[in-house]
Amino acid sequence: MLKRFFLNSLSSFVGAWVAILLFIVGGVVFVLGIIGSAATGDVAKLSRHSIMKIVLGGAIEETESATPFNYTFFLSGGIEKPQTLRTLVDALEKAKNNSNIDALYIECSGASASPATFNALRNAVIDFKKSGKRVFAYGDNLSMGDYYVATAADVVYLNPAGSLDLQGINGTALYFKGLLDKIGIEVQTVRVGTFKSAVEPYTSNEMSEPARLQLDTLYSTMWNYILDGVAKARNVKPSEINSLVDNFLFLDDAPVVKKHNLVDDCLYYRQVVDAMAEYVGEDSEDLNFVSPDLVLGNRNYNPGVNKQIAVLYAVGDIAEFEGAGIDCHTLVPIIVGLAENEDVHGLVLRVNSPGGSVFGSEQIGEALDYFKSKGKPLAVSMGDYAASGGYWISAGADRIFADPLTITGSIGIFGMVPNVEKLAHNLGVYPQAVGTNPGVQFPSIFFPMSSQQESALQQNVERGYEKFISRVAQGRHKSPEYIKTIAEGRVWSAIRAQELGLVDQLGSLQEAVDWVATKASVSNPNVVCYPAPDNTIWDILSMASGNMSADVRTIMNRLQAESADRQMLQTVWWFINQNPLQARAPFYHIVF
Protein backbone atom coordinates (compact mmCIF):
# COMPACT_ATOMS: atom_id res chain seq x y z
CA MET A 1 0.00 0.00 0.00
CA LEU A 2 2.83 2.38 0.91
CA LYS A 3 4.62 1.54 -2.34
CA ARG A 4 1.50 2.31 -4.35
CA PHE A 5 1.13 5.63 -2.51
CA PHE A 6 4.66 6.70 -3.42
CA LEU A 7 4.21 5.59 -7.04
CA ASN A 8 0.97 7.55 -7.39
CA SER A 9 2.55 10.60 -5.76
CA LEU A 10 5.58 10.39 -8.05
CA SER A 11 3.32 10.02 -11.09
CA SER A 12 1.28 13.08 -10.13
CA PHE A 13 4.45 15.07 -9.40
CA VAL A 14 6.04 14.21 -12.74
CA GLY A 15 2.79 14.84 -14.62
CA ALA A 16 2.38 18.27 -13.07
CA TRP A 17 5.94 19.30 -13.92
CA VAL A 18 5.61 18.02 -17.49
CA ALA A 19 2.44 20.09 -17.91
CA ILE A 20 4.17 23.18 -16.48
CA LEU A 21 7.19 22.62 -18.71
CA LEU A 22 5.06 22.28 -21.83
CA PHE A 23 3.15 25.43 -20.95
CA ILE A 24 6.36 27.40 -20.42
CA VAL A 25 7.89 26.12 -23.67
CA GLY A 26 4.70 26.88 -25.57
CA GLY A 27 4.43 30.34 -24.04
CA VAL A 28 8.03 31.24 -24.86
CA VAL A 29 7.70 30.04 -28.45
CA PHE A 30 4.38 31.84 -28.79
CA VAL A 31 5.86 35.15 -27.61
CA LEU A 32 8.82 34.72 -29.96
CA GLY A 33 6.37 34.05 -32.77
CA ILE A 34 4.49 37.25 -32.07
CA ILE A 35 7.73 39.22 -31.94
CA GLY A 36 8.81 37.70 -35.25
CA SER A 37 5.45 38.49 -36.81
CA ALA A 38 5.54 42.06 -35.60
CA ALA A 39 9.04 42.53 -36.97
CA THR A 40 8.56 40.97 -40.37
CA GLY A 41 4.84 40.80 -41.16
CA ASP A 42 2.73 43.39 -42.92
CA VAL A 43 -0.74 44.18 -41.62
CA ALA A 44 -3.41 43.67 -44.28
CA LYS A 45 -5.63 46.67 -44.96
CA LEU A 46 -8.83 47.15 -46.88
CA SER A 47 -7.79 49.70 -49.50
CA ARG A 48 -8.94 50.70 -52.99
CA HIS A 49 -8.90 47.99 -55.68
CA SER A 50 -8.74 45.20 -53.11
CA ILE A 51 -9.69 41.63 -54.01
CA MET A 52 -11.46 39.50 -51.44
CA LYS A 53 -9.88 36.06 -51.36
CA ILE A 54 -11.72 32.93 -50.27
CA VAL A 55 -9.54 29.89 -49.77
CA LEU A 56 -11.49 26.67 -50.21
CA GLY A 57 -9.30 24.47 -48.06
CA GLY A 58 -9.79 22.49 -44.86
CA ALA A 59 -13.08 22.06 -43.05
CA ILE A 60 -15.94 24.53 -43.43
CA GLU A 61 -18.10 24.45 -40.32
CA GLU A 62 -21.56 25.88 -39.73
CA THR A 63 -20.68 28.71 -37.35
CA GLU A 64 -18.08 29.82 -34.83
CA SER A 65 -17.46 27.79 -31.71
CA ALA A 66 -14.94 28.00 -28.91
CA THR A 67 -11.73 26.24 -29.90
CA PRO A 68 -10.80 23.55 -27.35
CA PHE A 69 -7.20 23.29 -26.21
CA ASN A 70 -5.16 20.96 -28.39
CA TYR A 71 -1.59 20.95 -27.12
CA THR A 72 -0.34 18.99 -30.13
CA PHE A 73 -1.43 21.65 -32.60
CA PHE A 74 -0.45 24.46 -30.24
CA LEU A 75 3.15 23.43 -29.80
CA SER A 76 3.58 22.48 -33.44
CA GLY A 77 2.48 25.95 -34.49
CA GLY A 78 -0.61 24.60 -36.23
CA ILE A 79 -3.45 26.23 -34.30
CA GLU A 80 -5.98 27.48 -36.80
CA LYS A 81 -9.71 27.92 -36.42
CA PRO A 82 -11.71 26.35 -39.22
CA GLN A 83 -13.62 28.54 -41.64
CA THR A 84 -17.33 28.85 -41.14
CA LEU A 85 -20.14 29.08 -43.63
CA ARG A 86 -21.59 31.99 -41.68
CA THR A 87 -18.39 34.03 -41.97
CA LEU A 88 -17.99 33.35 -45.68
CA VAL A 89 -21.60 34.16 -46.55
CA ASP A 90 -21.67 37.31 -44.41
CA ALA A 91 -18.37 38.48 -45.89
CA LEU A 92 -19.64 38.01 -49.43
CA GLU A 93 -22.74 40.04 -48.62
CA LYS A 94 -20.66 42.85 -47.16
CA ALA A 95 -18.03 42.76 -49.93
CA LYS A 96 -20.75 43.06 -52.56
CA ASN A 97 -21.47 46.61 -51.41
CA ASN A 98 -17.94 47.65 -50.41
CA SER A 99 -16.51 50.16 -52.88
CA ASN A 100 -12.93 49.21 -51.98
CA ILE A 101 -13.42 45.66 -53.21
CA ASP A 102 -13.22 45.27 -56.98
CA ALA A 103 -13.35 41.50 -57.36
CA LEU A 104 -13.53 38.11 -55.69
CA TYR A 105 -10.90 35.41 -55.97
CA ILE A 106 -11.77 31.80 -55.08
CA GLU A 107 -8.67 29.69 -54.48
CA CYS A 108 -9.59 26.01 -54.75
CA SER A 109 -7.41 23.99 -52.38
CA GLY A 110 -9.66 21.08 -51.43
CA ALA A 111 -12.30 22.16 -48.90
CA SER A 112 -14.12 19.62 -46.77
CA ALA A 113 -17.86 20.14 -46.32
CA SER A 114 -21.24 18.58 -46.99
CA PRO A 115 -23.11 19.26 -50.25
CA ALA A 116 -25.57 21.70 -48.66
CA THR A 117 -22.71 23.83 -47.31
CA PHE A 118 -21.07 24.01 -50.74
CA ASN A 119 -24.42 24.89 -52.29
CA ALA A 120 -25.09 27.67 -49.79
CA LEU A 121 -21.64 29.12 -50.46
CA ARG A 122 -22.16 28.85 -54.21
CA ASN A 123 -25.46 30.72 -53.97
CA ALA A 124 -23.73 33.44 -51.96
CA VAL A 125 -21.14 33.79 -54.75
CA ILE A 126 -23.94 34.06 -57.32
CA ASP A 127 -25.53 36.80 -55.20
CA PHE A 128 -22.16 38.61 -54.99
CA LYS A 129 -21.98 38.68 -58.79
CA LYS A 130 -25.13 40.83 -58.85
CA SER A 131 -22.82 43.71 -57.88
CA GLY A 132 -21.19 43.49 -61.31
CA LYS A 133 -17.81 42.69 -59.77
CA ARG A 134 -15.83 39.93 -61.45
CA VAL A 135 -15.29 36.56 -59.81
CA PHE A 136 -12.12 34.55 -60.54
CA ALA A 137 -11.64 30.90 -59.55
CA TYR A 138 -8.46 28.85 -59.81
CA GLY A 139 -7.11 25.52 -58.62
CA ASP A 140 -4.00 23.44 -59.11
CA ASN A 141 -6.47 20.59 -58.96
CA LEU A 142 -10.22 20.96 -58.64
CA SER A 143 -12.08 18.75 -56.18
CA MET A 144 -15.78 18.29 -56.78
CA GLY A 145 -17.01 20.52 -53.96
CA ASP A 146 -14.55 23.28 -54.86
CA TYR A 147 -15.45 23.03 -58.53
CA TYR A 148 -19.17 23.23 -57.79
CA VAL A 149 -18.61 26.55 -56.00
CA ALA A 150 -16.15 27.69 -58.69
CA THR A 151 -18.72 27.24 -61.46
CA ALA A 152 -20.50 30.28 -60.05
CA ALA A 153 -17.45 32.38 -61.01
CA ASP A 154 -17.13 34.42 -64.20
CA VAL A 155 -13.96 32.55 -65.12
CA VAL A 156 -12.62 29.20 -63.92
CA TYR A 157 -8.91 28.42 -64.37
CA LEU A 158 -7.15 25.08 -63.95
CA ASN A 159 -3.42 24.48 -63.70
CA PRO A 160 -2.18 22.97 -67.01
CA ALA A 161 -0.83 19.98 -65.05
CA GLY A 162 -3.95 19.66 -62.92
CA SER A 163 -7.18 17.67 -63.10
CA LEU A 164 -10.89 17.92 -62.36
CA ASP A 165 -12.03 15.41 -59.75
CA LEU A 166 -15.64 15.07 -60.87
CA GLN A 167 -16.84 11.57 -59.96
CA GLY A 168 -20.43 11.77 -58.70
CA ILE A 169 -21.77 11.28 -55.19
CA ASN A 170 -21.25 8.27 -52.99
CA GLY A 171 -21.44 7.55 -49.30
CA THR A 172 -19.68 4.95 -47.20
CA ALA A 173 -20.84 3.46 -43.91
CA LEU A 174 -18.73 1.12 -41.80
CA TYR A 175 -20.44 -1.97 -40.39
CA PHE A 176 -19.05 -3.23 -37.09
CA LYS A 177 -20.93 -6.41 -36.21
CA GLY A 178 -18.01 -8.65 -37.15
CA LEU A 179 -15.66 -6.65 -34.93
CA LEU A 180 -18.17 -6.53 -32.07
CA ASP A 181 -18.65 -10.30 -32.31
CA LYS A 182 -14.90 -10.84 -32.04
CA ILE A 183 -14.50 -8.75 -28.92
CA GLY A 184 -17.70 -10.03 -27.33
CA ILE A 185 -20.14 -7.12 -27.55
CA GLU A 186 -23.75 -7.64 -28.62
CA VAL A 187 -25.89 -4.65 -29.56
CA GLN A 188 -29.52 -5.24 -28.66
CA THR A 189 -31.94 -3.07 -30.60
CA VAL A 190 -35.61 -2.36 -31.11
CA ARG A 191 -36.89 0.13 -33.64
CA VAL A 192 -39.88 1.55 -35.47
CA GLY A 193 -39.56 2.25 -39.19
CA THR A 194 -38.53 0.05 -42.11
CA PHE A 195 -35.92 2.59 -43.18
CA LYS A 196 -34.60 3.40 -39.69
CA SER A 197 -31.14 2.07 -40.49
CA ALA A 198 -28.96 3.97 -38.00
CA VAL A 199 -28.62 0.79 -35.90
CA GLU A 200 -27.62 -1.47 -38.82
CA PRO A 201 -23.85 -0.92 -38.57
CA TYR A 202 -23.94 -2.51 -35.09
CA THR A 203 -26.28 -5.40 -35.89
CA SER A 204 -25.28 -6.44 -39.40
CA ASN A 205 -22.26 -6.76 -41.65
CA GLU A 206 -24.02 -5.46 -44.75
CA MET A 207 -26.48 -2.79 -45.78
CA SER A 208 -30.16 -3.75 -45.92
CA GLU A 209 -32.13 -3.31 -49.13
CA PRO A 210 -34.37 -0.55 -47.66
CA ALA A 211 -31.29 1.37 -46.54
CA ARG A 212 -29.66 0.98 -49.96
CA LEU A 213 -32.88 2.02 -51.72
CA GLN A 214 -33.30 5.25 -49.77
CA LEU A 215 -29.67 6.25 -50.25
CA ASP A 216 -29.77 5.48 -53.96
CA THR A 217 -32.79 7.78 -54.30
CA LEU A 218 -31.24 10.45 -52.09
CA TYR A 219 -27.89 10.56 -53.88
CA SER A 220 -29.46 10.48 -57.34
CA THR A 221 -31.65 13.48 -56.51
CA MET A 222 -28.69 15.42 -55.14
CA TRP A 223 -26.42 14.52 -58.07
CA ASN A 224 -29.00 15.57 -60.64
CA TYR A 225 -29.38 18.93 -58.90
CA ILE A 226 -25.62 19.47 -58.94
CA LEU A 227 -25.36 18.38 -62.57
CA ASP A 228 -28.04 20.87 -63.59
CA GLY A 229 -26.25 23.69 -61.77
CA VAL A 230 -22.88 22.92 -63.37
CA ALA A 231 -24.44 22.41 -66.79
CA LYS A 232 -26.19 25.79 -66.77
CA ALA A 233 -23.09 27.59 -65.52
CA ARG A 234 -20.77 25.99 -68.09
CA ASN A 235 -23.29 25.83 -70.97
CA VAL A 236 -22.88 22.06 -71.28
CA LYS A 237 -25.64 19.46 -71.34
CA PRO A 238 -26.08 17.48 -68.10
CA SER A 239 -26.01 14.24 -70.07
CA GLU A 240 -22.64 15.20 -71.59
CA ILE A 241 -21.14 15.91 -68.16
CA ASN A 242 -22.53 12.64 -66.81
CA SER A 243 -21.01 10.76 -69.74
CA LEU A 244 -17.61 12.34 -69.06
CA VAL A 245 -17.88 11.36 -65.40
CA ASP A 246 -18.81 7.80 -66.34
CA ASN A 247 -15.67 7.67 -68.47
CA PHE A 248 -13.35 8.70 -65.61
CA LEU A 249 -12.96 12.37 -66.36
CA PHE A 250 -10.89 12.77 -63.18
CA LEU A 251 -8.07 10.80 -64.85
CA ASP A 252 -7.98 13.07 -67.90
CA ASP A 253 -5.51 15.91 -68.39
CA ALA A 254 -6.38 19.58 -67.97
CA PRO A 255 -6.58 20.27 -71.75
CA VAL A 256 -9.33 17.66 -72.03
CA VAL A 257 -11.26 19.40 -69.27
CA LYS A 258 -10.92 22.69 -71.15
CA LYS A 259 -11.91 21.06 -74.44
CA HIS A 260 -15.30 20.15 -72.95
CA ASN A 261 -15.76 23.74 -71.65
CA LEU A 262 -15.69 22.71 -68.00
CA VAL A 263 -13.02 25.36 -67.36
CA ASP A 264 -12.26 28.56 -69.25
CA ASP A 265 -8.51 28.15 -69.56
CA CYS A 266 -5.50 26.24 -68.31
CA LEU A 267 -3.17 28.74 -66.62
CA TYR A 268 -0.44 28.76 -64.01
CA TYR A 269 -1.06 30.73 -60.84
CA ARG A 270 1.15 33.67 -61.85
CA GLN A 271 -0.89 34.01 -65.05
CA VAL A 272 -4.10 34.08 -63.02
CA VAL A 273 -2.60 36.81 -60.84
CA ASP A 274 -1.74 38.78 -63.97
CA ALA A 275 -5.33 38.45 -65.20
CA MET A 276 -6.70 39.75 -61.89
CA ALA A 277 -4.17 42.59 -61.83
CA GLU A 278 -5.19 43.68 -65.31
CA TYR A 279 -8.85 43.66 -64.28
CA VAL A 280 -8.41 45.88 -61.21
CA GLY A 281 -5.77 48.08 -62.88
CA GLU A 282 -2.86 47.31 -60.56
CA ASP A 283 0.58 45.78 -60.97
CA SER A 284 0.69 42.08 -60.13
CA GLU A 285 3.07 42.60 -57.21
CA ASP A 286 0.80 45.30 -55.76
CA LEU A 287 -2.41 43.27 -55.64
CA ASN A 288 -4.11 43.55 -52.27
CA PHE A 289 -5.89 40.36 -51.23
CA VAL A 290 -8.13 40.66 -48.18
CA SER A 291 -9.66 37.86 -46.12
CA PRO A 292 -13.35 37.42 -45.25
CA ASP A 293 -12.53 38.15 -41.60
CA LEU A 294 -10.93 41.46 -42.53
CA VAL A 295 -13.92 42.42 -44.65
CA LEU A 296 -16.28 41.68 -41.78
CA GLY A 297 -14.21 43.40 -39.12
CA ASN A 298 -15.20 42.75 -35.51
CA ARG A 299 -18.74 41.42 -35.44
CA ASN A 300 -20.63 42.55 -32.40
CA TYR A 301 -22.46 39.97 -30.30
CA ASN A 302 -24.78 42.29 -28.39
CA PRO A 303 -27.86 40.60 -26.96
CA GLY A 304 -29.09 43.95 -25.65
CA VAL A 305 -30.01 45.59 -28.97
CA ASN A 306 -33.68 46.13 -29.71
CA LYS A 307 -35.77 45.03 -32.69
CA GLN A 308 -33.94 41.75 -32.72
CA ILE A 309 -34.44 38.80 -35.00
CA ALA A 310 -32.56 36.06 -33.19
CA VAL A 311 -30.71 33.33 -35.07
CA LEU A 312 -30.16 30.36 -32.79
CA TYR A 313 -27.70 27.69 -33.95
CA ALA A 314 -28.46 24.05 -33.14
CA VAL A 315 -25.47 22.14 -34.49
CA GLY A 316 -24.43 18.54 -33.78
CA ASP A 317 -25.87 15.54 -31.97
CA ILE A 318 -28.76 16.11 -29.56
CA ALA A 319 -28.11 14.92 -26.03
CA GLU A 320 -28.63 15.89 -22.41
CA PHE A 321 -25.12 16.34 -21.15
CA GLU A 322 -22.57 19.14 -21.24
CA GLY A 323 -20.15 18.90 -24.14
CA ALA A 324 -22.70 17.51 -26.61
CA GLY A 325 -23.18 19.36 -29.87
CA ILE A 326 -26.73 20.26 -28.82
CA ASP A 327 -27.11 19.96 -25.05
CA CYS A 328 -30.82 20.39 -24.32
CA HIS A 329 -30.06 21.66 -20.81
CA THR A 330 -28.03 24.48 -22.38
CA LEU A 331 -30.25 25.24 -25.38
CA VAL A 332 -33.65 25.22 -23.63
CA PRO A 333 -32.85 28.12 -21.25
CA ILE A 334 -31.62 30.16 -24.21
CA ILE A 335 -34.91 29.58 -26.07
CA VAL A 336 -36.94 30.47 -22.97
CA GLY A 337 -34.85 33.62 -22.51
CA LEU A 338 -35.46 34.66 -26.11
CA ALA A 339 -39.19 34.05 -25.67
CA GLU A 340 -39.29 36.34 -22.63
CA ASN A 341 -36.99 39.00 -24.08
CA GLU A 342 -39.14 41.89 -25.29
CA ASP A 343 -36.38 43.04 -27.63
CA VAL A 344 -36.58 39.75 -29.56
CA HIS A 345 -39.37 39.90 -32.14
CA GLY A 346 -38.77 36.59 -33.92
CA LEU A 347 -36.51 33.57 -34.13
CA VAL A 348 -34.77 31.57 -36.82
CA LEU A 349 -33.56 28.19 -35.59
CA ARG A 350 -30.61 27.12 -37.73
CA VAL A 351 -30.57 23.32 -37.55
CA ASN A 352 -27.62 21.22 -38.63
CA SER A 353 -28.16 17.94 -36.82
CA PRO A 354 -28.70 14.24 -37.56
CA GLY A 355 -30.65 13.95 -34.30
CA GLY A 356 -29.90 12.06 -31.13
CA SER A 357 -31.66 11.68 -27.80
CA VAL A 358 -35.47 11.51 -27.87
CA PHE A 359 -35.60 13.13 -24.44
CA GLY A 360 -33.38 16.02 -25.53
CA SER A 361 -35.35 16.51 -28.74
CA GLU A 362 -38.63 16.66 -26.81
CA GLN A 363 -37.26 19.24 -24.35
CA ILE A 364 -36.12 21.51 -27.17
CA GLY A 365 -39.37 21.06 -29.06
CA GLU A 366 -41.42 22.03 -26.02
CA ALA A 367 -39.29 25.13 -25.44
CA LEU A 368 -39.86 26.20 -29.06
CA ASP A 369 -43.60 25.74 -28.54
CA TYR A 370 -43.28 28.09 -25.56
CA PHE A 371 -41.52 30.63 -27.77
CA LYS A 372 -44.38 30.50 -30.28
CA SER A 373 -46.93 30.91 -27.47
CA LYS A 374 -45.59 34.45 -27.01
CA GLY A 375 -46.93 35.34 -30.45
CA LYS A 376 -43.50 35.61 -32.04
CA PRO A 377 -42.82 34.04 -35.47
CA LEU A 378 -40.51 31.03 -35.62
CA ALA A 379 -38.77 29.75 -38.75
CA VAL A 380 -36.32 26.92 -39.20
CA SER A 381 -33.38 27.10 -41.59
CA MET A 382 -31.92 23.67 -42.32
CA GLY A 383 -28.22 23.18 -43.02
CA ASP A 384 -26.49 19.97 -44.08
CA TYR A 385 -28.77 17.77 -41.96
CA ALA A 386 -32.03 18.23 -40.13
CA ALA A 387 -33.01 14.60 -39.74
CA SER A 388 -34.67 12.45 -37.09
CA GLY A 389 -34.25 14.41 -33.84
CA GLY A 390 -33.11 17.31 -36.02
CA TYR A 391 -36.49 17.19 -37.74
CA TRP A 392 -38.29 16.69 -34.42
CA ILE A 393 -37.12 20.10 -33.22
CA SER A 394 -37.91 21.64 -36.62
CA ALA A 395 -41.42 20.32 -37.18
CA GLY A 396 -43.28 22.90 -35.08
CA ALA A 397 -41.91 25.97 -36.86
CA ASP A 398 -44.23 28.39 -38.63
CA ARG A 399 -42.17 27.94 -41.77
CA ILE A 400 -39.32 25.59 -42.68
CA PHE A 401 -36.58 26.64 -45.10
CA ALA A 402 -33.97 24.19 -46.40
CA ASP A 403 -31.11 24.12 -48.85
CA PRO A 404 -31.97 21.91 -51.84
CA LEU A 405 -29.15 19.56 -50.80
CA THR A 406 -30.20 19.31 -47.15
CA ILE A 407 -30.80 15.78 -45.87
CA THR A 408 -33.94 15.64 -43.74
CA GLY A 409 -36.79 13.42 -42.62
CA SER A 410 -35.78 10.14 -40.94
CA ILE A 411 -38.92 10.23 -38.80
CA GLY A 412 -38.40 7.15 -36.66
CA ILE A 413 -37.03 5.95 -33.33
CA PHE A 414 -34.85 3.12 -32.14
CA GLY A 415 -33.61 1.77 -28.83
CA MET A 416 -30.08 0.43 -28.48
CA VAL A 417 -28.55 -1.31 -25.47
CA PRO A 418 -25.03 -2.81 -25.67
CA ASN A 419 -24.36 -6.14 -23.95
CA VAL A 420 -20.73 -6.79 -22.99
CA GLU A 421 -21.33 -10.05 -21.11
CA LYS A 422 -19.20 -12.11 -23.51
CA LEU A 423 -16.41 -9.54 -23.42
CA ALA A 424 -16.46 -9.61 -19.62
CA HIS A 425 -16.25 -13.42 -19.62
CA ASN A 426 -13.35 -13.30 -22.07
CA LEU A 427 -11.55 -11.05 -19.60
CA GLY A 428 -12.30 -13.39 -16.73
CA VAL A 429 -14.98 -11.15 -15.22
CA TYR A 430 -18.30 -12.74 -14.20
CA PRO A 431 -20.89 -10.16 -13.05
CA GLN A 432 -23.53 -11.45 -10.63
CA ALA A 433 -26.67 -9.52 -9.73
CA VAL A 434 -29.57 -9.82 -7.32
CA GLY A 435 -32.70 -7.72 -7.66
CA THR A 436 -36.30 -7.52 -6.51
CA ASN A 437 -38.02 -6.69 -9.81
CA PRO A 438 -37.63 -7.49 -13.54
CA GLY A 439 -36.59 -3.95 -14.45
CA VAL A 440 -34.34 -3.15 -11.53
CA GLN A 441 -31.15 -3.75 -13.50
CA PHE A 442 -32.37 -2.54 -16.88
CA PRO A 443 -30.67 -1.43 -18.97
CA SER A 444 -27.52 -3.30 -17.99
CA ILE A 445 -24.48 -3.70 -20.19
CA PHE A 446 -23.50 -6.91 -18.39
CA PHE A 447 -26.62 -8.99 -19.06
CA PRO A 448 -28.75 -9.65 -22.14
CA MET A 449 -32.31 -8.34 -22.22
CA SER A 450 -35.00 -10.79 -21.18
CA SER A 451 -38.01 -11.17 -23.46
CA GLN A 452 -40.04 -9.19 -20.95
CA GLN A 453 -37.52 -6.34 -20.95
CA GLU A 454 -37.26 -6.33 -24.74
CA SER A 455 -41.06 -6.17 -25.04
CA ALA A 456 -41.21 -3.25 -22.62
CA LEU A 457 -38.50 -1.38 -24.54
CA GLN A 458 -40.30 -2.02 -27.84
CA GLN A 459 -43.49 -0.53 -26.41
CA ASN A 460 -41.53 2.46 -25.17
CA VAL A 461 -40.07 3.00 -28.64
CA GLU A 462 -43.49 2.71 -30.26
CA ARG A 463 -44.95 5.29 -27.87
CA GLY A 464 -42.08 7.60 -28.72
CA TYR A 465 -42.71 7.05 -32.42
CA GLU A 466 -46.38 7.97 -32.04
CA LYS A 467 -45.35 11.13 -30.18
CA PHE A 468 -42.94 11.96 -33.03
CA ILE A 469 -45.65 11.37 -35.64
CA SER A 470 -48.11 13.50 -33.69
CA ARG A 471 -45.65 16.37 -33.39
CA VAL A 472 -44.87 16.34 -37.12
CA ALA A 473 -48.55 16.05 -38.07
CA GLN A 474 -49.50 18.96 -35.84
CA GLY A 475 -46.60 21.13 -36.96
CA ARG A 476 -47.05 20.37 -40.66
CA HIS A 477 -50.86 20.50 -40.55
CA LYS A 478 -51.16 16.98 -41.92
CA SER A 479 -52.94 13.89 -40.69
CA PRO A 480 -50.98 11.36 -38.63
CA GLU A 481 -51.94 8.73 -41.21
CA TYR A 482 -50.29 10.72 -43.99
CA ILE A 483 -47.13 11.38 -41.99
CA LYS A 484 -46.79 7.65 -41.34
CA THR A 485 -46.69 6.99 -45.08
CA ILE A 486 -43.61 9.21 -45.47
CA ALA A 487 -42.01 8.42 -42.12
CA GLU A 488 -40.73 4.89 -41.36
CA GLY A 489 -37.31 6.41 -40.67
CA ARG A 490 -36.73 7.30 -44.33
CA VAL A 491 -34.33 10.13 -45.18
CA TRP A 492 -35.24 12.57 -47.93
CA SER A 493 -33.50 15.28 -49.88
CA ALA A 494 -35.01 18.70 -49.20
CA ILE A 495 -36.19 18.79 -52.82
CA ARG A 496 -38.35 15.73 -52.25
CA ALA A 497 -39.23 16.83 -48.72
CA GLN A 498 -40.76 20.01 -50.08
CA GLU A 499 -42.93 17.97 -52.42
CA LEU A 500 -44.03 15.85 -49.46
CA GLY A 501 -44.83 18.84 -47.25
CA LEU A 502 -42.00 18.35 -44.76
CA VAL A 503 -40.32 21.55 -45.98
CA ASP A 504 -42.07 24.77 -47.00
CA GLN A 505 -39.44 26.55 -49.05
CA LEU A 506 -36.04 25.92 -50.60
CA GLY A 507 -34.00 28.88 -49.48
CA SER A 508 -31.13 30.29 -47.48
CA LEU A 509 -30.71 31.34 -43.88
CA GLN A 510 -31.03 34.96 -44.98
CA GLU A 511 -34.37 34.23 -46.64
CA ALA A 512 -35.57 32.69 -43.38
CA VAL A 513 -34.47 35.82 -41.49
CA ASP A 514 -36.25 38.06 -43.99
CA TRP A 515 -39.44 36.01 -43.67
CA VAL A 516 -39.43 36.22 -39.87
CA ALA A 517 -38.75 39.97 -39.98
CA THR A 518 -41.69 40.47 -42.33
CA LYS A 519 -44.00 38.35 -40.17
CA ALA A 520 -42.88 40.31 -37.10
CA SER A 521 -43.41 43.64 -38.92
CA VAL A 522 -39.82 44.65 -38.17
CA SER A 523 -37.97 46.68 -40.80
CA ASN A 524 -34.17 46.84 -40.67
CA PRO A 525 -33.96 44.31 -37.85
CA ASN A 526 -30.87 43.70 -35.74
CA VAL A 527 -29.92 40.10 -36.47
CA VAL A 528 -28.27 38.65 -33.37
CA CYS A 529 -26.77 35.16 -33.31
CA TYR A 530 -27.03 32.83 -30.33
CA PRO A 531 -25.28 31.37 -28.52
CA ALA A 532 -22.36 33.79 -28.73
CA PRO A 533 -19.12 31.81 -28.99
CA ASP A 534 -17.08 31.76 -25.82
CA ASN A 535 -13.63 32.79 -26.99
CA THR A 536 -10.85 31.03 -25.14
CA ILE A 537 -7.16 31.75 -24.91
CA TRP A 538 -6.68 29.28 -27.74
CA ASP A 539 -8.80 31.43 -30.05
CA ILE A 540 -6.38 34.27 -29.37
CA LEU A 541 -3.40 32.01 -29.91
CA SER A 542 -4.81 30.87 -33.23
CA MET A 543 -4.42 34.40 -34.58
CA ALA A 544 -0.70 34.44 -33.82
CA SER A 545 1.95 33.19 -36.15
CA GLY A 546 5.40 31.72 -35.59
CA ASN A 547 7.22 28.46 -36.09
CA MET A 548 7.73 25.98 -33.29
CA SER A 549 11.01 24.17 -32.87
CA ALA A 550 11.63 20.69 -34.24
CA ASP A 551 12.45 19.46 -30.73
CA VAL A 552 9.02 20.51 -29.47
CA ARG A 553 7.37 18.80 -32.43
CA THR A 554 9.24 15.60 -31.63
CA ILE A 555 8.00 15.70 -28.03
CA MET A 556 4.43 16.28 -29.15
CA ASN A 557 4.56 13.47 -31.70
CA ARG A 558 5.33 11.09 -28.84
CA LEU A 559 2.21 12.32 -27.05
CA GLN A 560 0.01 11.83 -30.11
CA ALA A 561 -0.83 8.22 -29.19
CA GLU A 562 -2.08 9.38 -25.79
CA SER A 563 -4.48 11.78 -27.49
CA ALA A 564 -5.73 9.00 -29.80
CA ASP A 565 -6.33 6.75 -26.80
CA ARG A 566 -8.45 9.42 -25.17
CA GLN A 567 -10.49 9.78 -28.35
CA MET A 568 -11.17 6.04 -28.36
CA LEU A 569 -12.16 6.06 -24.69
CA GLN A 570 -14.52 8.97 -25.29
CA THR A 571 -16.18 7.05 -28.14
CA VAL A 572 -16.61 3.96 -25.96
CA TRP A 573 -17.97 6.10 -23.12
CA TRP A 574 -20.56 7.65 -25.43
CA PHE A 575 -21.58 4.25 -26.79
CA ILE A 576 -22.14 2.75 -23.36
CA ASN A 577 -23.65 5.77 -21.59
CA GLN A 578 -25.93 7.24 -24.25
CA ASN A 579 -29.68 7.40 -23.72
CA PRO A 580 -31.10 4.07 -24.95
CA LEU A 581 -33.93 5.84 -26.81
CA GLN A 582 -32.65 7.62 -29.92
CA ALA A 583 -34.10 9.61 -32.81
CA ARG A 584 -31.00 9.60 -34.95
CA ALA A 585 -30.48 9.43 -38.71
CA PRO A 586 -27.88 7.07 -40.17
CA PHE A 587 -24.50 8.67 -40.73
CA TYR A 588 -22.83 8.20 -44.10
CA HIS A 589 -19.60 9.87 -45.11
CA ILE A 590 -20.72 11.55 -48.34
CA VAL A 591 -17.84 12.03 -50.76
CA PHE A 592 -18.31 15.37 -52.49
Side-chain angles (χ1 to χ4, degrees), residues 431-498:
Q432 303 294 302
V434 177
T436 58
N437 300 88
V440 72
Q441 60 184 27
F442 179 79
S444 171
I445 65 171
F446 292 112
F447 304 100
M449 285 192 292
S450 67
S451 59
Q452 185 179 5
Q453 291 170 339
E454 183 177 354
S455 176
L457 182 59
Q458 181 68 50
Q459 292 176 33
N460 192 350
V461 168
E462 290 175 359
R463 286 194 298 272
Y465 182 63
E466 290 298 326
K467 184 181 292 187
F468 198 167
I469 292 293
S470 176
R471 179 166 188 80
V472 175
Q474 183 177 359
R476 298 282 78 211
H477 307 292
K478 306 285 185 182
S479 70
E481 292 72 27
Y482 171 74
I483 296 299
K484 286 182 179 180
T485 65
I486 59 175
E488 291 285 328
R490 183 161 187 169
V491 294
W492 302 100
S493 70
I495 297 171
R496 186 75 178 105
Q498 184 188 31

Side-chain angles (χ1 to χ4, degrees), residues 115-116 118-120 122-123 126 148 151 169 217-233 238 402-406 493-496 498 506-507 592:
F118 281 120
N119 193 55
R122 185 178 189 268
N123 287 336
I126 292 173
Y148 183 54
T151 57
I169 293 179
T217 302
L218 175 69
Y219 294 163
S220 295
T221 302
M222 296 169 73
W223 176 237
N224 287 335
Y225 179 88
I226 292 165
L227 272 182
D228 287 343
V230 173
K232 290 176 182 177
D403 187 274
L405 298 181
T406 294
S493 70
I495 297 171
R496 186 75 178 105
Q498 184 188 31
L506 300 179
F592 185 76

